[in-house]
Amino acid sequence: MKNDNIASFEAEMATINRPGMDKLMEYIRKSDFYTAPASTRYHLSCEGGLLQHSLNVLDALRGILRPSGLGNPDSWQGNGLPKAWDYVVAGKVVDTIPNESVTLVALLHDLCKTYFYQVSTRNAKNEKTGKWEKVPFYTVNDRMPLGHGPKSAMLVKTYIQLDSREMYAIWWHMGFTDSSDTLSLTNALKAYPFIWAVHNADMMASYMMEDNGGNKAAFKSDTPLSDSENDPEFYEAPAYEVDE
């Protein structure tokens, strides 16, 4: 499953043609992006969870949007995807986004979670043996404390150019759940409605598609994402560890 996800991720990223993509992919491959969890205990808190979540957000986002130029054969790419997507609200198109932007924003919105988690241990009683044992759990060890969405945007911009809509969508992808600056976010949403589509896709993936150890049954392949899902010795992080 993990190798399949890596292949899917890299195939999607290969469709993005911008200077610096080789350096960005080098950063991703050298980091823990392919092995890190998506959270300590809320969703996909398992090895490979961050990678799975990124792919889930892309799937959810494409489900929210509508292919632009329906009925026009020139509106489609050779890979079966549209050249652009429409964000439709109450029957009206409020934003039209290039497919490359949709792919890039969805897959890299949580790049901030590289070098963010670590595995720690604590003592817990084994229910079968009654003995106390050291058991693993994920905890936060943020080695680049630069925030969340802004950090992802800054990391991506270190390697490739982002247009304004892409930068704002990554920067504000947490919506009102992670911002006290409501005025700035409100103004950003007015300028770039795509932000809200990305936020909704992120919430759909986190709450509707994903459990702690893998995708929920309706969104799951035949191969489990992680053995931790069925492993009673893999414990959740303590309640004081808070992250997305």
CSV table of all heavy atoms in Angstrom, one decimal, residues 136-158:
chain,number,residue,atom,x,y,z
A,136,PRO,N,4.9,2.1,21.8
A,136,PRO,CA,5.2,3.3,21.0
A,136,PRO,C,4.0,4.2,20.8
A,136,PRO,O,2.8,3.7,20.9
A,136,PRO,CB,5.7,2.7,19.7
A,136,PRO,CG,4.9,1.5,19.6
A,136,PRO,CD,4.8,0.9,21.0
A,137,PHE,N,4.2,5.5,20.7
A,137,PHE,CA,3.2,6.4,20.2
A,137,PHE,C,3.8,7.6,19.5
A,137,PHE,O,5.0,7.8,19.7
A,137,PHE,CB,2.3,6.9,21.4
A,137,PHE,CG,3.0,7.7,22.4
A,137,PHE,CD1,3.1,9.1,22.3
A,137,PHE,CD2,3.7,7.2,23.5
A,137,PHE,CE1,3.8,9.9,23.2
A,137,PHE,CE2,4.3,7.9,24.4
A,137,PHE,CZ,4.4,9.3,24.3
A,138,TYR,N,3.0,8.2,18.7
A,138,TYR,CA,3.6,9.4,18.0
A,138,TYR,C,3.4,10.7,18.9
A,138,TYR,O,2.4,10.8,19.5
A,138,TYR,CB,2.8,9.6,16.7
A,138,TYR,CG,3.2,8.7,15.6
A,138,TYR,CD1,2.3,7.7,15.1
A,138,TYR,CD2,4.5,8.7,15.0
A,138,TYR,CE1,2.7,6.8,14.1
A,138,TYR,CE2,4.8,7.8,14.0
A,138,TYR,CZ,3.9,6.9,13.6
A,138,TYR,OH,4.3,6.0,12.6
A,139,THR,N,4.4,11.5,18.8
A,139,THR,CA,4.4,12.8,19.5
A,139,THR,C,5.0,13.8,18.6
A,139,THR,O,5.6,13.5,17.5
A,139,THR,CB,5.2,12.7,20.8
A,139,THR,OG1,5.0,13.9,21.5
A,139,THR,CG2,6.6,12.5,20.6
A,140,VAL,N,4.8,15.1,18.9
A,140,VAL,CA,5.3,16.2,18.1
A,140,VAL,C,6.6,16.6,18.5
A,140,VAL,O,6.9,16.8,19.7
A,140,VAL,CB,4.3,17.4,18.2
A,140,VAL,CG1,4.9,18.6,17.5
A,140,VAL,CG2,3.0,17.1,17.5
A,141,ASN,N,7.5,16.7,17.6
A,141,ASN,CA,8.9,17.3,17.8
A,141,ASN,C,9.2,18.2,16.6
A,141,ASN,O,9.8,17.7,15.6
A,141,ASN,CB,9.9,16.2,17.9
A,141,ASN,CG,11.3,16.8,18.1
A,141,ASN,OD1,11.5,17.9,18.6
A,141,ASN,ND2,12.3,16.0,17.7
A,142,ASP,N,8.6,19.4,16.6
A,142,ASP,CA,8.7,20.2,15.4
A,142,ASP,C,10.1,20.8,15.3
A,142,ASP,O,10.5,21.7,16.0
A,142,ASP,CB,7.6,21.3,15.6
A,142,ASP,CG,7.4,22.2,14.3
A,142,ASP,OD1,8.2,21.9,13.3
A,142,ASP,OD2,6.6,23.0,14.3
A,143,ARG,N,10.8,20.4,14.3
A,143,ARG,CA,12.2,20.9,14.1
A,143,ARG,C,12.2,22.1,13.2
A,143,ARG,O,13.3,22.6,12.9
A,143,ARG,CB,13.0,19.7,13.5
A,143,ARG,CG,13.4,18.7,14.5
A,143,ARG,CD,13.8,17.4,13.9
A,143,ARG,NE,12.7,16.6,13.6
A,143,ARG,CZ,12.7,15.4,13.0
A,143,ARG,NH1,13.9,14.9,12.6
A,143,ARG,NH2,11.6,14.7,12.8
A,144,MET,N,11.0,22.5,12.7
A,144,MET,CA,11.0,23.8,11.9
A,144,MET,C,9.7,24.5,12.4
A,144,MET,O,8.7,24.5,11.7
A,144,MET,CB,10.9,23.5,10.4
A,144,MET,CG,12.1,22.9,9.8
A,144,MET,SD,12.0,22.7,8.0
A,144,MET,CE,10.8,21.4,7.8
A,145,PRO,N,9.7,25.1,13.5
A,145,PRO,CA,8.5,25.7,14.1
A,145,PRO,C,8.1,27.0,13.4
A,145,PRO,O,8.4,28.1,13.9
A,145,PRO,CB,8.9,26.0,15.6
A,145,PRO,CG,10.4,26.1,15.6
A,145,PRO,CD,10.9,25.2,14.5
A,146,LEU,N,7.5,26.9,12.3
A,146,LEU,CA,7.1,28.1,11.5
A,146,LEU,C,5.6,28.1,11.3
A,146,LEU,O,5.1,28.8,10.4
A,146,LEU,CB,7.8,28.0,10.2
A,146,LEU,CG,9.3,28.2,10.2
A,146,LEU,CD1,9.9,27.9,8.8
A,146,LEU,CD2,9.7,29.6,10.6
A,147,GLY,N,4.8,27.4,12.1
A,147,GLY,CA,3.4,27.4,11.9
A,147,GLY,C,2.9,26.2,11.1
A,147,GLY,O,3.6,25.2,10.9
A,148,HIS,N,1.7,26.4,10.5
A,148,HIS,CA,1.1,25.3,9.7
A,148,HIS,C,1.0,25.6,8.2
A,148,HIS,O,1.9,25.4,7.5
A,148,HIS,CB,-0.3,24.9,10.3
A,148,HIS,CG,-0.8,23.7,9.8
A,148,HIS,ND1,-0.6,22.4,10.4
A,148,HIS,CD2,-1.6,23.4,8.7
A,148,HIS,CE1,-1.2,21.5,9.8
A,148,HIS,NE2,-1.8,22.0,8.7
A,149,GLY,N,-0.1,26.2,7.8
A,149,GLY,CA,-0.3,26.5,6.4
A,149,GLY,C,0.8,27.4,5.9
A,149,GLY,O,1.4,27.2,4.8
A,150,PRO,N,1.1,28.5,6.6
A,150,PRO,CA,2.2,29.4,6.2
A,150,PRO,C,3.5,28.6,6.0
A,150,PRO,O,4.3,28.9,5.0
A,150,PRO,CB,2.3,30.4,7.3
A,150,PRO,CG,0.9,30.5,7.8
A,150,PRO,CD,0.4,29.1,7.8
A,151,LYS,N,3.8,27.7,6.9
A,151,LYS,CA,5.0,26.9,6.8
A,151,LYS,C,5.1,26.1,5.5
A,151,LYS,O,6.1,26.0,4.8
A,151,LYS,CB,5.2,26.0,8.0
A,151,LYS,CG,6.4,25.1,8.0
A,151,LYS,CD,6.4,24.3,9.3
A,151,LYS,CE,7.4,23.2,9.3
A,151,LYS,NZ,7.4,22.4,10.6
A,152,SER,N,3.9,25.4,5.2
A,152,SER,CA,3.9,24.7,3.9
A,152,SER,C,4.1,25.5,2.7
A,152,SER,O,4.9,25.2,1.8
A,152,SER,CB,2.5,24.0,3.8
A,152,SER,OG,2.3,22.9,4.7
A,153,ALA,N,3.5,26.7,2.7
A,153,ALA,CA,3.6,27.6,1.6
A,153,ALA,C,5.1,28.1,1.4
A,153,ALA,O,5.6,28.1,0.3
A,153,ALA,CB,2.7,28.8,1.7
A,154,MET,N,5.7,28.4,2.6
A,154,MET,CA,7.1,28.8,2.5
A,154,MET,C,8.0,27.7,2.1
A,154,MET,O,9.0,27.9,1.3
A,154,MET,CB,7.5,29.3,3.9
A,154,MET,CG,6.9,30.7,4.2
A,154,MET,SD,7.6,31.4,5.8
A,154,MET,CE,6.7,30.4,7.0
A,155,LEU,N,7.8,26.5,2.5
A,155,LEU,CA,8.6,25.3,2.1
A,155,LEU,C,8.5,25.1,0.6
A,155,LEU,O,9.5,24.9,-0.1
A,155,LEU,CB,8.2,24.1,2.8
A,155,LEU,CG,8.7,23.9,4.2
A,155,LEU,CD1,8.1,22.7,4.9
A,155,LEU,CD2,10.2,23.8,4.3
A,156,VAL,N,7.3,25.1,0.0
A,156,VAL,CA,7.1,24.9,-1.4
A,156,VAL,C,7.8,26.0,-2.2
A,156,VAL,O,8.5,25.8,-3.2
A,156,VAL,CB,5.6,24.9,-1.8
A,156,VAL,CG1,5.4,24.7,-3.3
A,156,VAL,CG2,4.9,23.7,-1.1
A,157,LYS,N,7.6,27.3,-1.7
A,157,LYS,CA,8.2,28.4,-2.4
A,157,LYS,C,9.7,28.5,-2.3
A,157,LYS,O,10.4,29.2,-3.1
A,157,LYS,CB,7.6,29.7,-1.9
A,157,LYS,CG,6.2,30.1,-2.4
A,157,LYS,CD,5.7,31.3,-1.8
A,157,LYS,CE,6.5,32.6,-2.2
A,157,LYS,NZ,6.4,32.8,-3.7
A,158,THR,N,10.3,27.7,-1.5
A,158,THR,CA,11.7,27.6,-1.4
A,158,THR,C,12.3,26.9,-2.7
A,158,THR,O,13.4,27.2,-3.1
A,158,THR,CB,12.2,26.7,-0.2
A,158,THR,OG1,11.7,27.4,1.0
A,158,THR,CG2,13.7,26.6,-0.2
